[in-house]
Amino acid sequence: MTNKNRVLVIFSSLFSLVVVFAGLAMAQMAPIYRFKGVQISVTMRIDNKVFEKGAYDLQFLRTSSPVLYFLRIMKAGKILATLQGAEWPYSNGLVDTIAFSSEVPQKPTLRMALKKSEKLLSLTFESGKNALEYPFIRAKFNIPYEE
């Protein structure tokens, strides 16, 4: 086997493994919370798709292993896009102190902010203290936008 063939076989094998693991992670996404009719005031651009200003349903999901957070953008029950976010831990990571902190909301909360200098719509999701399955989660999602 020549070097070119070896490189091709190794590359295709690695690519196949990445696709399989990504598929497994997507299949095991557990819904955390869904906000319906969230008004987005800017035109978003996700994966070369443009989403006009308007009301969207936002569903927050989590994978178990590895722990990853996703935002699913939906309209009329149809999934338009899914993007990965990052966990944004609270200032003190100990569960005992977080449980009594006023920083953590009681119920699921969504905060939106525009970073005009970077042209990013920042969505921060917090599951809250009273969430049955996934309490004390805070995840951040940055979405490019156009004016």
Side-chain angles (χ1 to χ4, degrees), residues 94-146:
L94 302 173
V95 174
D96 294 344
T97 56
I98 291 174
F100 299 106
S101 172
S102 61
E103 182 182 9
V104 182
Q106 293 293 325
K107 59 183 183 173
T109 306
L110 175 66
R111 292 187 175 93
M112 287 190 276
L114 290 176
K115 297 179 181 177
K116 293 190 179 204
S117 62
E118 302 170 37
K119 291 216 173 210
L120 290 176
L121 170 63
S122 178
L123 299 173
T124 304
F125 166 73
E126 296 180 76
S127 65
K129 294 178 183 179
N130 297 332
L132 296 175
E133 209 167 333
Y134 300 109
F136 310 114
I137 290 176
R138 182 166 64 173
K140 193 169 202 162
F141 302 86
N142 291 317
I143 304 170
Y145 74 88
E146 300 173 350

Side-chain angles (χ1 to χ4, degrees), residues 5 45 63 103 124 135:
N5 288 342
R45 180 175 290 279
T63 62
E103 182 182 9
T124 304

Side-chain angles (χ1 to χ4, degrees), residues 19-111:
V19 169
V20 166
F21 285 122
L24 289 173
M26 296 294 274
Q28 296 176 3
M29 289 195 290
I32 298 174
Y33 196 78
R34 184 175 181 174
F35 293 95
K36 293 186 177 188
V38 176
Q39 195 66 33
I40 305 292
S41 61
V42 293
T43 300
M44 301 178 289
R45 180 175 290 279
I46 303 169
D47 296 333
N48 296 325
K49 295 179 191 173
V50 175
F51 299 96
E52 297 296 326
K53 301 175 186 179
Y56 293 92
D57 294 343
L58 302 177
Q59 184 177 28
F60 295 89
L61 306 124
R62 175 184 191 266
T63 62
S64 57
S65 178
V67 177
L68 300 172
Y69 297 97
F70 292 90
L71 169 66
R72 187 177 281 165
I73 300 173
M74 305 168 73
K75 195 166 203 167
K78 182 180 175 188
I79 299 170
L80 303 175
T82 302
L83 61 115
Q84 185 176 343
E87 184 174 10
W88 190 28
Y90 291 100
S91 56
N92 188 348
L94 302 173
V95 174
D96 294 344
T97 56
I98 291 174
F100 299 106
S101 172
S102 61
E103 182 182 9
V104 182
Q106 293 293 325
K107 59 183 183 173
T109 306
L110 175 66
R111 292 187 175 93

